[in-house]
Amino acid sequence: MATTRNVMRAVRVFGFGGPEVLKLQSDVLVPNPEENQVLIKVHACGVNPVETYIRSGSYARKPALPYTPGSDVAGVVESVGERVTAFKKGDRVFTIGTVSGGYADYAVAAANRVFPLSDALDFRQGAAIGIPYFTAYRALFQKGRAKAGESVLVHGASGGVGIATCQIARACGLKVLGTAGTEEGMNIVLRNGCHQAFNHREANYIDKIKEYTGMEGVDIIIEMLSNINLATDLQLLSCAGRVMVVGCRGPIEINPRDTMNKESSIIGVSLFLATEEEMHECATAIRDGIEAGWLKPVVGSEYPLEKVVQAHEDIIHSSGARGKMVLLL
């Protein structure tokens, strides 16, 4: 452990590659918050699949090397830069982005990416809010134009974004269907807003979904693994239905005629492209959900910072998600 306040532990990436490029160092300088920035003592940091894509070098956005991964932290404000009036030392907060990286004892974030953390949620849950809930809201409403009374299928519903989508969709009056890969995952999904769950490891689960939805089909599909499911998703949609591509790990071949038959749409979702106004809308909806009590992040696997390599392996290769993966500091 560091013996002075000026250095900290942080995970550093010096070259793109597999999980083994994540290097935990104990002599990294604690960053100083500049104007309109906040320094946070990190208690927990969410692990998101996108962080593995960025680390591998396969993602469109590549940070300058070396860098520290991580955007969704929860912790306590240590200090604030000039012009910051919304936060003070000692405030409990969570973030939707960091400047310095979240896999560290301390992280700097822009003040407009920092939000108060309700006393109703612990730091682990705070670290599970950022990317999952903002992405879910953006996919459903800003891009998917979801309306109360419509049906939504969350394909891969037991992970961080999936559970967030189920909770938000249920609270906003949608009929929610979800898939998961384990019995435990299906139970978690059903406890978090899903009306009906299906096991996507069963050979005939698509037939079960078709049987459940009947001739109408599904209005919206939130898709976490489009490189596997996109072609099948097009068969499940209603007329004018929409597939929201939230996650993808490679290419897939589809028949565009399937979109013509129902005048359906395939829409990509990227939180990184949200405008300030859209981010503010997401933040307001999420704050309202926390206050109303229906927004309750489910924390799954937990890892100490020393096990970050294992966390990056597991988030891609585990047998089934059971909530949001977090690092504990």
Side-chain angles (χ1 to χ4, degrees):
M1 284 294 294
T3 57
T4 74
R5 288 276 306 280
N6 296 328
V7 295
M8 64 175 183
R9 297 176 306 154
V11 174
R12 303 290 282 163
V13 175
F14 293 91
F16 298 113
E20 70 279 357
V21 303
L22 299 166
K23 304 297 184 184
L24 178 59
Q25 299 189 314
S26 58
D27 58 352
V28 179
L29 288 176
V30 175
N32 289 314
E34 298 179 2
E35 186 175 88
N36 294 316
Q37 292 182 342
V38 176
L39 177 66
I40 300 164
K41 173 69 180 78
V42 179
H43 286 252
C45 182
V47 180
N48 295 290
V50 68
E51 288 147 23
T52 72
Y53 311 150
I54 294 171
R55 181 216 70 226
S56 72
S58 65
Y59 200 65
R61 294 169 63 254
K62 290 187 180 67
L65 296 169
Y67 78 98
T68 294
S71 60
D72 297 346
V73 308
V76 176
V77 173
E78 179 72 16
S79 62
V80 300
E82 291 183 26
R83 302 173 66 100
V84 176
T85 58
F87 302 100
K88 65 183 184 304
K89 181 178 172 65
D91 287 348
R92 300 172 82 250
V93 294
F94 73 93
T95 71
I96 181 62
T98 67
V99 176
S100 59
Y103 295 8
D105 288 324
Y106 292 88
V108 162
N112 65 354
R113 292 293 183 265
V114 180
F115 306 93
L117 179 62
S118 166
D119 289 337
L121 302 177
D122 61 30
F123 290 120
R124 300 172 313 136
Q125 291 174 302
I129 297 173
I131 284 179
Y133 281 85
F134 279 64
T135 298
Y137 183 86
R138 181 168 178 77
L140 281 168
F141 299 108
Q142 293 178 342
K143 294 300 177 183
R145 308 181 309 281
K147 297 179 180 63
E150 288 190 311
S151 59
V152 57
L153 170 65
V154 186
H155 218 155
S158 61
V161 177
I163 290 171
T165 305
C166 290
Q167 291 179 356
I168 294 172
R170 179 67 174 257
C172 294
L174 280 82
K175 181 69 173 289
V176 187
L177 317 179
T179 75
T182 65
E183 197 71 31
E184 183 184 5
M186 290 171 66
N187 289 333
I188 288 173
V189 166
L190 289 169
R191 290 196 302 268
N192 284 279
C194 199
H195 291 91
Q196 184 73 26
F198 303 88
N199 188 332
H200 56 221
R201 295 192 191 280
E202 291 182 1
N204 63 337
Y205 86 99
I206 293 294
D207 294 332
K208 290 184 177 181
I209 295 174
K210 288 181 177 178
E211 183 180 343
Y212 185 84
T213 58
M215 295 296 291
E216 294 84 11
V218 182
D219 296 309
I220 305 171
I221 297 176
I222 308 295
E223 182 53 69
M224 311 300 170
L225 202 60
S226 51
N227 55 297
I228 300 295
N229 300 319
L230 185 56
T232 307
D233 288 341
L234 296 176
Q235 310 288 331
L236 295 173
L237 287 176
S238 64
C239 283
R242 295 86 81 193
V243 178
M244 314 308 301
V245 177
V246 170
C248 182
R249 298 181 186 176
I252 185 174
E253 184 173 309
I254 64 168
N255 184 349
R257 187 174 295 279
D258 291 335
T259 66
M260 298 163 61
N261 292 339
K262 299 175 180 176
E263 291 194 325
S264 55
S265 304
I266 302 167
I267 303 171
V269 180
S270 174
L271 189 59
F272 296 121
L273 296 178
T275 64
E276 281 301 317
E277 292 77 14
E278 288 171 331
M279 291 294 281
H280 180 73
E281 179 189 340
C282 290
T284 300
I286 286 159
R287 184 196 63 212
D288 292 347
I290 294 172
E291 290 178 358
W294 55 257
L295 194 157
K296 291 185 177 178
V298 176
V299 176
S301 303
E302 303 173 7
Y303 299 80
L305 196 57
E306 294 81 2
K307 300 286 187 182
V308 64
V309 171
Q310 188 68 51
H312 267 227
E313 290 174 351
D314 290 351
I315 199 168
I316 296 300
H317 300 297
S318 64
S319 59
R322 301 178 308 281
K324 178 67 183 167
M325 180 181 289
V326 298
L327 297 171
L328 301 180
L329 291 94

PDB file of all heavy atoms in Angstrom, residues 205-221:
ATOM      1  N   TYR A 205     -35.918 -22.007 -27.672  1.00  0.00           N
ATOM      2  CA  TYR A 205     -36.429 -20.849 -26.935  1.00  0.00           C
ATOM      3  C   TYR A 205     -37.061 -19.801 -27.861  1.00  0.00           C
ATOM      4  O   TYR A 205     -38.003 -19.109 -27.464  1.00  0.00           O
ATOM      5  CB  TYR A 205     -35.326 -20.231 -26.066  1.00  0.00           C
ATOM      6  CG  TYR A 205     -34.430 -19.230 -26.752  1.00  0.00           C
ATOM      7  CD1 TYR A 205     -34.646 -17.852 -26.605  1.00  0.00           C
ATOM      8  CD2 TYR A 205     -33.356 -19.636 -27.540  1.00  0.00           C
ATOM      9  CE1 TYR A 205     -33.821 -16.933 -27.221  1.00  0.00           C
ATOM     10  CE2 TYR A 205     -32.533 -18.720 -28.159  1.00  0.00           C
ATOM     11  CZ  TYR A 205     -32.765 -17.371 -28.005  1.00  0.00           C
ATOM     12  OH  TYR A 205     -31.948 -16.453 -28.621  1.00  0.00           O
ATOM     13  N   ILE A 206     -36.573 -19.703 -29.101  1.00  0.00           N
ATOM     14  CA  ILE A 206     -37.178 -18.759 -30.047  1.00  0.00           C
ATOM     15  C   ILE A 206     -38.627 -19.148 -30.328  1.00  0.00           C
ATOM     16  O   ILE A 206     -39.522 -18.286 -30.395  1.00  0.00           O
ATOM     17  CB  ILE A 206     -36.366 -18.706 -31.354  1.00  0.00           C
ATOM     18  CG1 ILE A 206     -34.986 -18.095 -31.102  1.00  0.00           C
ATOM     19  CG2 ILE A 206     -37.120 -17.919 -32.423  1.00  0.00           C
ATOM     20  CD1 ILE A 206     -35.010 -16.634 -30.690  1.00  0.00           C
ATOM     21  N   ASP A 207     -38.874 -20.450 -30.478  1.00  0.00           N
ATOM     22  CA  ASP A 207     -40.247 -20.920 -30.697  1.00  0.00           C
ATOM     23  C   ASP A 207     -41.128 -20.577 -29.504  1.00  0.00           C
ATOM     24  O   ASP A 207     -42.308 -20.218 -29.670  1.00  0.00           O
ATOM     25  CB  ASP A 207     -40.254 -22.432 -30.937  1.00  0.00           C
ATOM     26  CG  ASP A 207     -39.565 -22.825 -32.236  1.00  0.00           C
ATOM     27  OD1 ASP A 207     -39.570 -21.995 -33.167  1.00  0.00           O
ATOM     28  OD2 ASP A 207     -38.999 -23.933 -32.305  1.00  0.00           O
ATOM     29  N   LYS A 208     -40.572 -20.665 -28.305  1.00  0.00           N
ATOM     30  CA  LYS A 208     -41.347 -20.335 -27.097  1.00  0.00           C
ATOM     31  C   LYS A 208     -41.706 -18.845 -27.070  1.00  0.00           C
ATOM     32  O   LYS A 208     -42.816 -18.476 -26.684  1.00  0.00           O
ATOM     33  CB  LYS A 208     -40.565 -20.710 -25.840  1.00  0.00           C
ATOM     34  CG  LYS A 208     -40.437 -22.209 -25.623  1.00  0.00           C
ATOM     35  CD  LYS A 208     -39.738 -22.506 -24.299  1.00  0.00           C
ATOM     36  CE  LYS A 208     -39.674 -24.017 -24.038  1.00  0.00           C
ATOM     37  NZ  LYS A 208     -39.021 -24.326 -22.746  1.00  0.00           N
ATOM     38  N   ILE A 209     -40.759 -18.002 -27.512  1.00  0.00           N
ATOM     39  CA  ILE A 209     -41.052 -16.570 -27.559  1.00  0.00           C
ATOM     40  C   ILE A 209     -42.147 -16.291 -28.590  1.00  0.00           C
ATOM     41  O   ILE A 209     -43.084 -15.524 -28.336  1.00  0.00           O
ATOM     42  CB  ILE A 209     -39.779 -15.762 -27.886  1.00  0.00           C
ATOM     43  CG1 ILE A 209     -38.749 -15.892 -26.754  1.00  0.00           C
ATOM     44  CG2 ILE A 209     -40.121 -14.283 -28.120  1.00  0.00           C
ATOM     45  CD1 ILE A 209     -37.412 -15.239 -27.059  1.00  0.00           C
ATOM     46  N   LYS A 210     -42.040 -16.929 -29.767  1.00  0.00           N
ATOM     47  CA  LYS A 210     -43.063 -16.737 -30.803  1.00  0.00           C
ATOM     48  C   LYS A 210     -44.424 -17.201 -30.325  1.00  0.00           C
ATOM     49  O   LYS A 210     -45.454 -16.560 -30.580  1.00  0.00           O
ATOM     50  CB  LYS A 210     -42.662 -17.502 -32.074  1.00  0.00           C
ATOM     51  CG  LYS A 210     -41.503 -16.878 -32.838  1.00  0.00           C
ATOM     52  CD  LYS A 210     -41.184 -17.689 -34.089  1.00  0.00           C
ATOM     53  CE  LYS A 210     -40.082 -17.038 -34.905  1.00  0.00           C
ATOM     54  NZ  LYS A 210     -39.722 -17.815 -36.106  1.00  0.00           N
ATOM     55  N   GLU A 211     -44.436 -18.314 -29.613  1.00  0.00           N
ATOM     56  CA  GLU A 211     -45.698 -18.834 -29.083  1.00  0.00           C
ATOM     57  C   GLU A 211     -46.293 -17.863 -28.070  1.00  0.00           C
ATOM     58  O   GLU A 211     -47.507 -17.630 -28.052  1.00  0.00           O
ATOM     59  CB  GLU A 211     -45.458 -20.197 -28.423  1.00  0.00           C
ATOM     60  CG  GLU A 211     -46.716 -20.872 -27.885  1.00  0.00           C
ATOM     61  CD  GLU A 211     -46.402 -22.210 -27.240  1.00  0.00           C
ATOM     62  OE1 GLU A 211     -45.308 -22.758 -27.478  1.00  0.00           O
ATOM     63  OE2 GLU A 211     -47.255 -22.695 -26.474  1.00  0.00           O
ATOM     64  N   TYR A 212     -45.433 -17.264 -27.250  1.00  0.00           N
ATOM     65  CA  TYR A 212     -45.900 -16.340 -26.211  1.00  0.00           C
ATOM     66  C   TYR A 212     -46.427 -15.035 -26.818  1.00  0.00           C
ATOM     67  O   TYR A 212     -47.436 -14.495 -26.380  1.00  0.00           O
ATOM     68  CB  TYR A 212     -44.767 -16.047 -25.227  1.00  0.00           C
ATOM     69  CG  TYR A 212     -45.177 -15.191 -24.057  1.00  0.00           C
ATOM     70  CD1 TYR A 212     -45.777 -15.760 -22.930  1.00  0.00           C
ATOM     71  CD2 TYR A 212     -44.957 -13.810 -24.058  1.00  0.00           C
ATOM     72  CE1 TYR A 212     -46.152 -14.979 -21.849  1.00  0.00           C
ATOM     73  CE2 TYR A 212     -45.330 -13.022 -22.982  1.00  0.00           C
ATOM     74  CZ  TYR A 212     -45.920 -13.613 -21.884  1.00  0.00           C
ATOM     75  OH  TYR A 212     -46.301 -12.836 -20.807  1.00  0.00           O
ATOM     76  N   THR A 213     -45.743 -14.531 -27.849  1.00  0.00           N
ATOM     77  CA  THR A 213     -46.133 -13.241 -28.425  1.00  0.00           C
ATOM     78  C   THR A 213     -47.222 -13.367 -29.483  1.00  0.00           C
ATOM     79  O   THR A 213     -47.872 -12.377 -29.823  1.00  0.00           O
ATOM     80  CB  THR A 213     -44.916 -12.534 -29.050  1.00  0.00           C
ATOM     81  OG1 THR A 213     -44.337 -13.382 -30.052  1.00  0.00           O
ATOM     82  CG2 THR A 213     -43.872 -12.231 -27.995  1.00  0.00           C
ATOM     83  N   GLY A 214     -47.418 -14.594 -30.006  1.00  0.00           N
ATOM     84  CA  GLY A 214     -48.466 -14.801 -30.998  1.00  0.00           C
ATOM     85  C   GLY A 214     -48.162 -14.085 -32.307  1.00  0.00           C
ATOM     86  O   GLY A 214     -47.011 -13.860 -32.674  1.00  0.00           O
ATOM     87  N   MET A 215     -49.213 -13.701 -33.012  1.00  0.00           N
ATOM     88  CA  MET A 215     -49.050 -13.076 -34.323  1.00  0.00           C
ATOM     89  C   MET A 215     -48.481 -11.665 -34.232  1.00  0.00           C
ATOM     90  O   MET A 215     -47.910 -11.158 -35.183  1.00  0.00           O
ATOM     91  CB  MET A 215     -50.403 -13.021 -35.047  1.00  0.00           C
ATOM     92  CG  MET A 215     -50.986 -14.377 -35.389  1.00  0.00           C
ATOM     93  SD  MET A 215     -49.960 -15.280 -36.573  1.00  0.00           S
ATOM     94  CE  MET A 215     -50.215 -14.254 -38.034  1.00  0.00           C
ATOM     95  N   GLU A 216     -48.642 -11.032 -33.072  1.00  0.00           N
ATOM     96  CA  GLU A 216     -48.256  -9.621 -32.965  1.00  0.00           C
ATOM     97  C   GLU A 216     -46.756  -9.407 -33.060  1.00  0.00           C
ATOM     98  O   GLU A 216     -46.286  -8.429 -33.626  1.00  0.00           O
ATOM     99  CB  GLU A 216     -48.770  -9.027 -31.643  1.00  0.00           C
ATOM    100  CG  GLU A 216     -50.286  -8.936 -31.539  1.00  0.00           C
ATOM    101  CD  GLU A 216     -50.912 -10.248 -31.082  1.00  0.00           C
ATOM    102  OE1 GLU A 216     -50.161 -11.142 -30.649  1.00  0.00           O
ATOM    103  OE2 GLU A 216     -52.138 -10.363 -31.178  1.00  0.00           O
ATOM    104  N   GLY A 217     -45.974 -10.310 -32.462  1.00  0.00           N
ATOM    105  CA  GLY A 217     -44.537 -10.082 -32.395  1.00  0.00           C
ATOM    106  C   GLY A 217     -44.187  -9.082 -31.295  1.00  0.00           C
ATOM    107  O   GLY A 217     -45.040  -8.660 -30.506  1.00  0.00           O
ATOM    108  N   VAL A 218     -42.933  -8.677 -31.271  1.00  0.00           N
ATOM    109  CA  VAL A 218     -42.430  -7.781 -30.230  1.00  0.00           C
ATOM    110  C   VAL A 218     -42.155  -6.408 -30.845  1.00  0.00           C
ATOM    111  O   VAL A 218     -41.598  -6.307 -31.938  1.00  0.00           O
ATOM    112  CB  VAL A 218     -41.113  -8.338 -29.620  1.00  0.00           C
ATOM    113  CG1 VAL A 218     -40.617  -7.443 -28.500  1.00  0.00           C
ATOM    114  CG2 VAL A 218     -41.305  -9.748 -29.113  1.00  0.00           C
ATOM    115  N   ASP A 219     -42.553  -5.358 -30.136  1.00  0.00           N
ATOM    116  CA  ASP A 219     -42.376  -4.002 -30.666  1.00  0.00           C
ATOM    117  C   ASP A 219     -40.917  -3.565 -30.657  1.00  0.00           C
ATOM    118  O   ASP A 219     -40.444  -2.921 -31.608  1.00  0.00           O
ATOM    119  CB  ASP A 219     -43.222  -3.013 -29.850  1.00  0.00           C
ATOM    120  CG  ASP A 219     -44.707  -3.296 -29.979  1.00  0.00           C
ATOM    121  OD1 ASP A 219     -45.189  -3.415 -31.122  1.00  0.00           O
ATOM    122  OD2 ASP A 219     -45.388  -3.409 -28.943  1.00  0.00           O
ATOM    123  N   ILE A 220     -40.206  -3.875 -29.582  1.00  0.00           N
ATOM    124  CA  ILE A 220     -38.813  -3.437 -29.442  1.00  0.00           C
ATOM    125  C   ILE A 220     -37.980  -4.603 -28.911  1.00  0.00           C
ATOM    126  O   ILE A 220     -38.415  -5.321 -28.009  1.00  0.00           O
ATOM    127  CB  ILE A 220     -38.692  -2.258 -28.455  1.00  0.00           C
ATOM    128  CG1 ILE A 220     -39.603  -1.100 -28.860  1.00  0.00           C
ATOM    129  CG2 ILE A 220     -37.242  -1.765 -28.357  1.00  0.00           C
ATOM    130  CD1 ILE A 220     -39.690  -0.011 -27.799  1.00  0.00           C
ATOM    131  N   ILE A 221     -36.787  -4.782 -29.461  1.00  0.00           N
ATOM    132  CA  ILE A 221     -35.827  -5.737 -28.906  1.00  0.00           C
ATOM    133  C   ILE A 221     -34.573  -4.972 -28.516  1.00  0.00           C
ATOM    134  O   ILE A 221     -34.007  -4.241 -29.325  1.00  0.00           O
ATOM    135  CB  ILE A 221     -35.478  -6.856 -29.909  1.00  0.00           C
ATOM    136  CG1 ILE A 221     -36.728  -7.679 -30.239  1.00  0.00           C
ATOM    137  CG2 ILE A 221     -34.376  -7.762 -29.349  1.00  0.00           C
ATOM    138  CD1 ILE A 221     -36.506  -8.747 -31.306  1.00  0.00           C
TER     139      ILE A 221
END
